[in-house]
Amino acid sequence: MLDLARLRALHAVSVHGSVAGAAAALGYTPSAVSQQIAKLERETRTTLLERRGRGIALTEEARHLAETAQQLLAIVERAETTLEERRGQPSGLLTVSAFASASRGLMPGVLADLAARHPALEVRLTEVDPHLSVDLVARGVTDLAVAHDWDIAPLPTPEGVEQAVIGDDPCDLVVPAGHPLTSRAVVRRADLGGLRWVCQPPGRVCHDWLVRTLRAVGYEPDIVHVAEENHTIVALVAAGLGVAVVPRLGTGTLPPGAVAVPLEPAPVRRLYALWRTGAARRPAITEAVRTLQEHWDRAPGAPRPGDPASVRRPEDAARQ
């Protein structure tokens, strides 16, 4: 009989495309995943992985086996959900993926709260790009994902995946201290021309939003510095090297030398929790989602009372 843990390892390799990626998702070492695959090859008397340059690729037989593994893992998940539901308490292993600023600004408090309230529940977090995490949920690699969308990039929800809104994360214009815009109560999009920008790389939603927004009001953005992390972007702004549009959850407390100025209308990204329909009744899922929503009210991204962004949705910004 095929070993379920080894099938799980193969399935993870098929999703992540590498042994290292599968190991990170499963909480194992790459060596442990390689050993599981090697044992599965001996059990099936089949070559499952082939070397391709510096990486690996699944054989045709491995792809078929990985598809079967996904179906088996879904059956196991339904059984585990039923047992946990009958116990009535969150328990077992819950794997969570979240994008970078949520992992830093929201998840530490959520994970600590879940650990204190539910000692029988083990939660494991992996930082993942938000556009990848939806597929990881759909394919059964992670149980729960924290992702986001913008008005220009709606979050796709495939069949078999459910979602709940966590909250809206407004974005501010961050400028160097002493910049002329710091004297403004609010900055409108038509005022953004002629500025030097610090931004994320092309292909990231923040970059695409900036390019589209400025072109819509007749300006071509002058992007002078490119960085992946919001904290790096803010540090470059604080050094006087440009301005940036940054989500509040991604900035937290601004360093000396950087000032946030409200934009009107404010761009807003919406945070979601996503999980598979088959696990919707699992107490661990419902409790994790409830805790995420509870902690959002205290997160740096939560809109402040009276903030125009507090009543503005991503689809509202699209109509501006």
Side-chain angles (χ1 to χ4, degrees):
M1 183 176 294
L2 296 176
D3 185 275
L4 187 63
R6 292 164 196 166
L7 290 173
R8 190 186 300 273
L10 177 64
H11 177 248
V13 172
S14 74
V15 171
H16 293 278
S18 69
V19 170
L26 295 173
Y28 301 153
T29 64
S31 175
V33 172
S34 295
Q35 291 175 18
Q36 294 278 35
I37 300 298
K39 291 177 181 178
L40 188 58
E41 286 183 323
R42 290 195 295 271
E43 286 179 348
T44 59
R45 299 183 179 87
T46 304
T47 299
L48 300 175
L49 301 182
E50 296 177 332
R51 286 285 176 188
R52 295 280 178 86
R54 295 184 178 181
I56 55 96
L58 272 68
T59 63
E60 187 68 23
E61 292 80 4
R63 285 194 291 271
H64 285 297
L65 191 57
E67 291 174 1
T68 302
Q70 181 172 343
Q71 297 169 17
L72 291 173
L73 291 171
I75 294 171
V76 171
E77 179 180 61
R78 289 197 295 271
E80 291 174 339
T81 296
T82 299
L83 289 174
E84 187 178 327
E85 188 180 21
R86 289 177 65 86
R87 286 193 293 265
Q89 294 292 330
S91 61
L93 175 64
L94 181 72
T95 55
V96 180
S97 64
F99 59 96
S101 53
S103 296
R104 179 176 57 247
L106 177 62
M107 293 308 300
V110 171
L111 297 177
D113 201 352
L114 288 172
R117 293 181 183 177
H118 306 289
L121 177 64
E122 180 182 0
V123 185
R124 295 183 181 178
L125 172 69
T126 302
E127 188 175 299
V128 176
D129 184 276
H131 298 292
L132 298 177
S133 59
V134 178
D135 185 58
L136 297 181
V137 171
R139 298 176 69 172
V141 178
T142 190
D143 298 317
L144 184 70
V146 177
H148 68 72
D149 70 4
W150 294 58
D151 56 296
I152 64 169
L155 187 70
T157 305
E159 184 178 356
V161 174
E162 300 181 18
Q163 66 179 34
V165 174
I166 298 172
D168 288 345
D169 186 14
C171 302
D172 293 312
L173 178 66
V174 180
V175 303
H179 192 281
L181 289 178
T182 58
S183 62
R184 304 278 292 273
V186 68
V187 175
R188 302 194 179 278
R189 295 180 184 183
D191 303 326
L192 297 179
L195 301 175
R196 291 164 61 85
W197 292 91
V198 184
C199 190
Q200 291 183 330
R204 301 289 291 273
V205 179
C206 292
H207 180 281
D208 294 346
W209 181 91
L210 178 66
V211 172
R212 292 191 191 189
T213 298
L214 264 66
R215 286 177 179 172
V217 292
Y219 300 111
E220 188 66 26
D222 181 14
I223 299 175
V224 293
H225 299 293
V226 175
E228 287 279 355
E229 287 291 328
N230 286 319
H231 274 54
T232 304
I233 291 172
V234 171
L236 291 168
V237 172
L241 300 174
V243 304
V245 172
V246 186
R248 290 180 189 165
L249 186 62
T251 56
T253 302
L254 292 174
V259 178
V261 182
L263 275 170
E264 178 60 35
V268 179
R269 63 179 184 179
R270 174 162 290 179
L271 274 66
Y272 297 89
L274 302 104
W275 62 91
R276 287 178 298 283
T277 300
R281 302 189 320 274
R282 185 182 174 191
I285 295 288
T286 55
E287 179 65 6
V289 172
R290 187 196 66 77
T291 305
L292 281 163
Q293 294 170 330
E294 179 182 281
H295 277 255
W296 178 253
D297 293 335
R298 303 194 294 271
R304 296 183 290 266
D307 189 337
S310 65
V311 295
R312 192 178 304 280
R313 317 282 258 211
E315 57 266 31
D316 299 331
R319 291 193 289 268
Q320 297 295 330

